[in-house]
Amino acid sequence: KYKYIYFKIHLKNGIILKSPLLVPLLPSEKEKSFKKDKKEIYLADIGAKLDAIFKEYVQKVNPDIVHFGHLSHLSTNLIKIVKELNIPNVYTIHDFWLFCVKGQMINEQGNICPKPSIKNCTKCSTYVVNEIEVEESQKHMNNIMSMIDVYVSPSHTLRNFFISQGIEEHKIKYLKYGF
């Protein structure tokens, strides 16, 4: 039924865990498409289907909290959905993806990016091609980040970066990975 979607949700101790999709999604994207194995895939259509499946599942399970390990290659609307359902959420920060489409804050020359900005991201991004799209994407991501209840950061570097970008300090908890 959803042959382009690799999506699994597992329930463990009342917390929803997810596996990634094969395609990048931003719900604000217009009917953009790309070719994969010579087939057209419409991102907006896949994102809407994913959102509906996720919402139905969350309503069925009715968890106490939802933990997001990442949103890369998933619909960023998943945060919005749990917020609208009044379910608290936690987001583990693994990288800079919420601010950087590449996730690593490494610019097109392979150097550390000085900071996310419309100018820097327009030059660097392989996904969005003009300043208007970058600005729309950044506004969307800022809105999504404002809906995250608690961030878990495995490093002080990531925690400090998110705080420097305007995330409230009390919302980011440092939690060292147990490896």
Side-chain angles (χ1 to χ4, degrees):
K1 186 174 178 182
Y2 300 103
K3 60 184 171 183
Y4 299 120
I5 298 177
Y6 173 76
F7 178 71
K8 294 178 183 176
I9 299 179
H10 307 280
L11 184 66
K12 183 176 181 180
N13 300 327
I15 297 176
I16 290 181
L17 308 170
K18 52 122 185 99
S19 297
L21 287 179
L22 294 175
V23 295
L25 303 174
L26 272 178
S28 63
E29 291 193 48
K30 311 277 187 296
E31 287 287 320
K32 290 186 178 182
S33 67
F34 65 94
K35 291 188 184 228
K36 182 173 176 70
D37 300 326
K38 300 181 182 178
K39 297 175 184 171
E40 291 283 328
I41 300 173
Y42 292 91
L43 299 181
D45 185 46
I46 293 173
K49 288 177 183 176
L50 173 62
D51 292 348
I53 292 167
F54 179 77
K55 184 174 184 176
E56 180 182 333
Y57 185 80
V58 170
Q59 288 175 317
K60 178 181 174 184
V61 173
N62 193 27
D64 296 322
I65 191 168
V66 176
H67 173 247
F68 294 94
H70 214 298
L71 291 174
S72 177
H73 305 296
L74 286 169
S75 169
T76 52
N77 271 339
L78 302 185
I79 298 282
K80 185 178 178 183
I81 290 167
V82 297
K83 200 68 174 171
E84 289 171 351
L85 294 172
N86 294 313
I87 300 170
N89 65 77
V90 175
Y91 182 95
T92 297
I93 305 168
H94 297 283
D95 54 26
F96 302 98
W97 183 82
L98 290 172
F99 294 98
C100 172
V101 70
K102 291 182 176 179
Q104 302 305 317
M105 294 294 295
I106 303 294
N107 68 20
E108 70 278 11
Q109 284 97 25
N111 299 317
I112 295 173
C113 179
K115 69 176 190 170
S117 70
I118 293 170
K119 181 181 174 186
N120 290 340
C121 296
T122 301
K123 287 190 308 186
C124 193
S125 175
T126 57
Y127 300 108
V128 289
V129 294
N130 64 54
E131 289 187 4
I132 293 170
E133 288 180 335
V134 170
E135 185 174 18
E136 286 177 8
S137 178
Q138 287 181 349
K139 284 180 184 176
H140 172 76
M141 293 306 282
N142 286 336
N143 184 48
I144 295 302
M145 286 186 282
S146 74
M147 294 183 213
I148 296 173
D149 296 320
V150 175
Y151 294 82
V152 173
S153 176
S155 79
H156 293 292
T157 300
L158 281 170
R159 182 179 185 276
N160 294 340
F161 176 83
F162 273 66
I163 292 167
S164 77
Q165 297 303 307
I167 302 299
E168 299 171 63
E169 188 172 347
H170 73 275
K171 289 179 76 171
I172 304 179
K173 310 299 179 196
Y174 169 74
L175 183 62
K176 182 178 174 183
Y177 286 156
F179 303 124

